[in-house]
């Protein structure tokens, strides 16, 4: 029987293998949820993930959205060494 893929766990795995949460000083880059979703759609099936799943996965990985301007939120990332 084929194994069913848990897409939230797959998103978490893809992000956590190379990146960790950062603050405004230690960040190497920043992304919005929509931009991250767009990038992950290059790897994962379009209908399998949405912005809510990305948000939940990042929160579970201890990322916190940062508000740079009113109602403009970004996730800060840095590469793992």
């Amino acid at each position: 029987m084929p194994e069913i893929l848990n897409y939230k766990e797959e998103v978490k795995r893809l992000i956590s293998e190379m990146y960790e949460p950062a603050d405004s000083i230690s960040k190497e880059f920043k992304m919005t949820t929509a931009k991250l979703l767009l990038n992950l759609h290059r790897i994962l099936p379009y209908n399998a993930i949405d912005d809510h799943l990305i948000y939940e996965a990042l929160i579970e990985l201890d990322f916190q959205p940062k508000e740079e301007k009113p109602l403009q939120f970004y996730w800060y990332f840095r590469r793992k060494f």
Side-chain angles (χ1 to χ4, degrees):
M1 176 174 260
E3 188 175 320
I4 297 175
L5 187 59
N6 180 335
Y7 286 103
K8 185 181 356 177
E9 291 303 316
E10 186 64 11
V11 166
K12 288 169 56 176
R13 184 188 67 78
L14 288 168
I15 293 170
S16 66
E17 280 183 351
M18 296 184 61
Y19 304 106
E20 60 188 11
D23 56 27
S24 60
I25 301 202
S26 65
K27 74 176 186 244
E28 291 184 39
F29 61 94
K30 63 184 181 182
M31 272 193 227
T32 63
T33 305
K35 177 67 175 168
L36 190 54
L37 177 63
L38 183 66
N39 288 343
L40 288 170
H41 275 155
R42 296 176 183 168
I43 301 168
L44 300 171
Y46 185 81
N47 292 335
I49 59 173
D50 61 12
D51 52 347
H52 297 285
L53 186 137
I54 301 296
Y55 181 88
E56 289 176 1
L58 288 169
I59 292 295
E60 289 177 16
L61 290 171
D62 293 326
F63 285 83
Q64 293 298 318
K66 308 291 189 221
E67 186 174 24
E68 287 192 357
K69 295 180 184 176
L71 299 178
Q72 288 186 357
F73 290 88
Y74 292 90
W75 303 96
Y76 293 164
F77 297 84
R78 69 174 168 226
R79 289 179 184 90
K80 285 185 174 179
F81 293 105

